[in-house]
Amino acid sequence: MDKALICGSFAFDNIMVFNDQFKNHILPDKVHILNVSFLVPELRREFGGCAGNIAYNLKLLGGNPLPMGAVGTDFEHYAKWMDEKGINREHVNVVDDTFTAQAFITTDMDDNQITAFHPGAMNYSHNYSVLDVSDPAVGIVAPDGREGMIQHAREFVSAGIPFIFDPGQGLPMFDGDELMKFIEQATWLTVNDYEWQLIQERTGKSQEEISAKLKALIVTKGPEGSLIYKDGEVIQIPAAKPSVLQDPTGCGDAYRAGLLYGLTNDLDWETTGRIASLMGAIKIEHQGTQNHHFKLADFKRRFKEAFGTVF
């Protein structure tokens, strides 16, 4: 089965709920001497990171994910989870004397959030090379350490491996010229509609100018579905309807796994986009980024129910 090399981050997401409102404890006229403490009786620690999430979702579909990333010495529990799910860890590299990247997210009753992010081992992703991987069919450069993203894109080109550029939350790290370099190197670009607007503003390029440099540009629009720009045409992908709206975190990674599945199985873009759309819908029905499960036969049944076709 064709391998998909997934370059990106691994992280722990520590999610805490404060059963009150931040505004009741942060005095505007005292922010210059801010010293607050929040009691958070609810705490979840989730496996996350773009490479981890994409690999998990692609494995659910029966794909062959090969994630590459840098992790810390605290990764053992996550590693055990990956082994249980049959996800290859050959290129998941432990960096001595570091922690795995992690986010600490506190949410209040108004859905306001205070987040601290520690990149940890992610900053060492450039120490590991795409060229050390044998024969991946396709790749993806997902959010990761800045130097790692630059290097891995360059190495995909050097190795002649087609790849998706997925800037995601890493987009603010790059200026317009750097983003254009990624786009010129990439085979496909995938972004949400907000990221797409930022890219156009930062590069000064239009949709037509950017699409001309790619085999396909994929723009997701949440409940409005997604658009795939290819060869001068626009393919409209409808959104699959989730049974319940639980947690949108990680939906983009699930969608990208669907894209990789379609690319590694030589599916047309209409089918690939719909698989990606359904992956996002299934993810949003569950808390966390790697807590959903399904059998491929059930996925195909739900695909037919959602779109009236089969794959």
Side-chain angles (χ1 to χ4, degrees):
M1 186 182 300
D2 285 344
K3 291 182 289 189
L5 179 56
I6 302 166
C7 298
S9 61
F10 287 86
F12 291 110
D13 295 328
N14 301 277
I15 302 166
M16 296 157 280
V17 176
F18 176 51
N19 294 314
D20 200 339
Q21 297 166 304
F22 293 144
K23 66 183 181 182
N24 295 334
H25 301 266
I26 299 175
L27 304 176
D29 60 337
K30 300 293 184 182
V31 293
H32 61 294
I33 52 170
L34 186 65
N35 186 353
V36 294
S37 177
F38 303 113
L39 178 66
V40 286
E42 180 183 334
L43 167 65
R44 301 197 325 270
R45 194 177 202 214
E46 303 280 4
F47 301 130
C50 296
N53 294 340
I54 295 170
Y56 176 81
N57 283 279
L58 183 54
K59 190 68 177 181
L60 284 179
L61 283 167
N64 189 7
L66 196 61
M68 172 182 282
V71 301
T73 54
D74 57 345
F75 194 68
E76 183 178 356
H77 190 40
Y78 201 148
K80 183 180 178 182
W81 168 257
M82 292 179 68
D83 292 345
E84 289 173 354
K85 301 305 173 185
I87 300 172
N88 189 308
R89 288 196 292 114
E90 181 182 356
H91 298 283
V92 179
N93 305 279
V94 177
V95 181
D96 292 338
D97 301 319
T98 65
F99 290 109
T100 302
Q102 41 202 301
F104 299 86
I105 305 162
T106 304
T107 305
D108 75 356
M109 292 296 96
D110 289 335
D111 282 334
N112 295 308
Q113 289 188 333
I114 297 175
T115 300
F117 182 74
H118 173 65
M122 193 176 79
N123 283 337
Y124 297 88
S125 61
H126 59 280
N127 290 339
Y128 309 101
S129 175
V130 166
L131 304 178
D132 293 335
V133 183
S134 60
D135 302 322
V138 299
I140 183 169
V141 174
D144 203 354
R146 171 185 159 84
E147 295 308 314
M149 293 179 71
I150 292 171
Q151 175 183 309
H152 295 150
R154 184 172 61 243
E155 290 173 342
F156 274 127
V157 174
S158 174
I161 300 166
F163 75 96
I164 298 171
F165 176 46
D166 168 27
Q169 62 264 42
L171 199 154
M173 295 189 293
F174 305 106
D175 63 25
D177 290 340
E178 290 167 328
L179 289 170
M180 280 308 303
K181 180 67 174 177
F182 276 116
I183 290 165
E184 289 163 358
Q185 292 171 320
T187 316
W188 310 280
L189 170 66
T190 181
V191 287
N192 63 32
D193 49 357
Y194 178 73
E195 293 160 356
W196 176 227
Q197 182 177 340
L198 286 180
I199 285 177
Q200 290 179 93
E201 291 175 357
R202 197 158 291 181
T203 63
K205 303 294 184 181
S206 67
Q207 175 264 307
E208 291 79 10
E209 290 173 307
I210 291 177
S211 295
K213 299 183 180 298
L214 300 158
K215 284 194 174 180
L217 161 67
I218 303 100
V219 181
T220 62
K221 300 169 70 66
E224 298 176 23
S226 48
L227 301 174
I228 300 175
Y229 299 89
K230 173 186 173 294
D231 297 331
E233 65 172 324
V234 183
I235 302 170
Q236 296 193 3
I237 305 297
K241 186 174 178 58
S243 59
V244 63
L245 299 177
Q246 192 70 255
D247 179 7
T249 309
C251 286
D253 293 332
Y255 185 99
R256 281 140 185 77
L259 296 180
L260 288 172
Y261 181 84
L263 290 169
T264 53
N265 286 278
D266 296 321
L267 301 178
D268 60 60
W269 280 108
E270 288 81 357
T271 303
T272 296
R274 283 166 170 77
I275 291 172
S277 176
L278 181 54
M279 287 298 294
I282 290 172
K283 201 328 291 166
I284 206 171
E285 296 169 351
H286 299 80
Q287 287 281 0
T289 60
Q290 297 181 32
N291 294 324
H292 51 295
H293 313 275
F294 58 76
K295 300 292 187 182
L296 186 57
D298 295 327
F299 183 88
K300 289 188 174 186
R301 173 188 52 76
R302 187 162 172 182
F303 184 94
K304 184 176 181 180
E305 291 172 355
F307 305 114
T309 58
V310 297
F311 71 93

